[in-house]
């Protein structure tokens, strides 16, 4: 069974994706950018959106098993480390950071998360 949870964002319908998909025992949260003037602010904002998406699926950051970070400038990743350590701290997932272009140059980081889905009961 596949459960799709939309965030209601304008691009979901335009592009044809869903913020969160629960399937195969996992919660998959789509790549998420945040708002703000710098990479740290955008990181925090993206994590707030991801946290809300996980919550709607009945999961949380402690359930995360995989996280991917995408940044146009790898040098901007280190300033985000304290934020990420606070969010994932005691429950660190497997992680990858990739340097690449994002959909718009104003975005400095995009984050996607895979978490264990809650047990059906």
């Amino acid at each position: 069974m596949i459960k799709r949870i939309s965030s209601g964002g304008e691009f979901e319908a335009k592009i044809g994706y869903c913020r969160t998909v629960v399937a195969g025992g996992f919660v998959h949260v789509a790549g998420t950018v945040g708002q703000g003037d710098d990479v740290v602010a955008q990181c925090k904002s993206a994590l707030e959106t991801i946290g809300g998406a996980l919550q709607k699926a009945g999961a949380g950051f402690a359930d995360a098993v995989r996280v991917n970070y995408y940044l146009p400038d790898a040098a901007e990743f280190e300033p985000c480390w304290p934020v990420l350590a606070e969010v994932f701290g005691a429950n660190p997932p497997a992680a990858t950071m990739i340097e690449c272009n994002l959909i718009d140059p104003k975005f400095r980081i995009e984050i996607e998360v895979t978490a264990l889905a809650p047990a059906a009961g």
Side-chain angles (χ1 to χ4, degrees), residues 15-52:
I15 297 172
Y17 79 97
C18 193
R19 171 71 54 212
T20 310
V21 176
V22 182
F26 292 96
V27 178
H28 304 273
V29 181
T32 303
V33 296
Q35 301 302 311
D37 293 332
D38 62 31
V39 69
V40 173
Q42 289 185 21
C43 180
K44 289 177 181 178
S45 175
L47 289 168
E48 287 176 19
T49 300
I50 291 166

Side-chain angles (χ1 to χ4, degrees), residues 32-101:
T32 303
V33 296
Q35 301 302 311
D37 293 332
D38 62 31
V39 69
V40 173
Q42 289 185 21
C43 180
K44 289 177 181 178
S45 175
L47 289 168
E48 287 176 19
T49 300
I50 291 166
L54 289 169
Q55 185 177 29
K56 286 180 183 177
F61 286 111
D63 301 304
V65 295
R66 180 68 148 145
V67 60
N68 293 317
Y69 305 102
Y70 305 96
L71 292 92
D73 182 354
E76 290 189 328
F77 191 44
E78 189 170 353
C80 296
W81 293 357
V83 175
L84 302 172
E86 183 179 333
V87 169
F88 293 109
N91 303 289
T96 301
M97 192 287 293
I98 298 169
E99 184 176 49
C100 62
N101 290 326

Side-chain angles (χ1 to χ4, degrees), residues 9-19 30-31 103 110:
E10 66 174 301
F11 290 105
E12 287 181 60
K14 285 181 181 179
I15 297 172
Y17 79 97
C18 193
R19 171 71 54 212
I103 196 164
E110 183 169 339

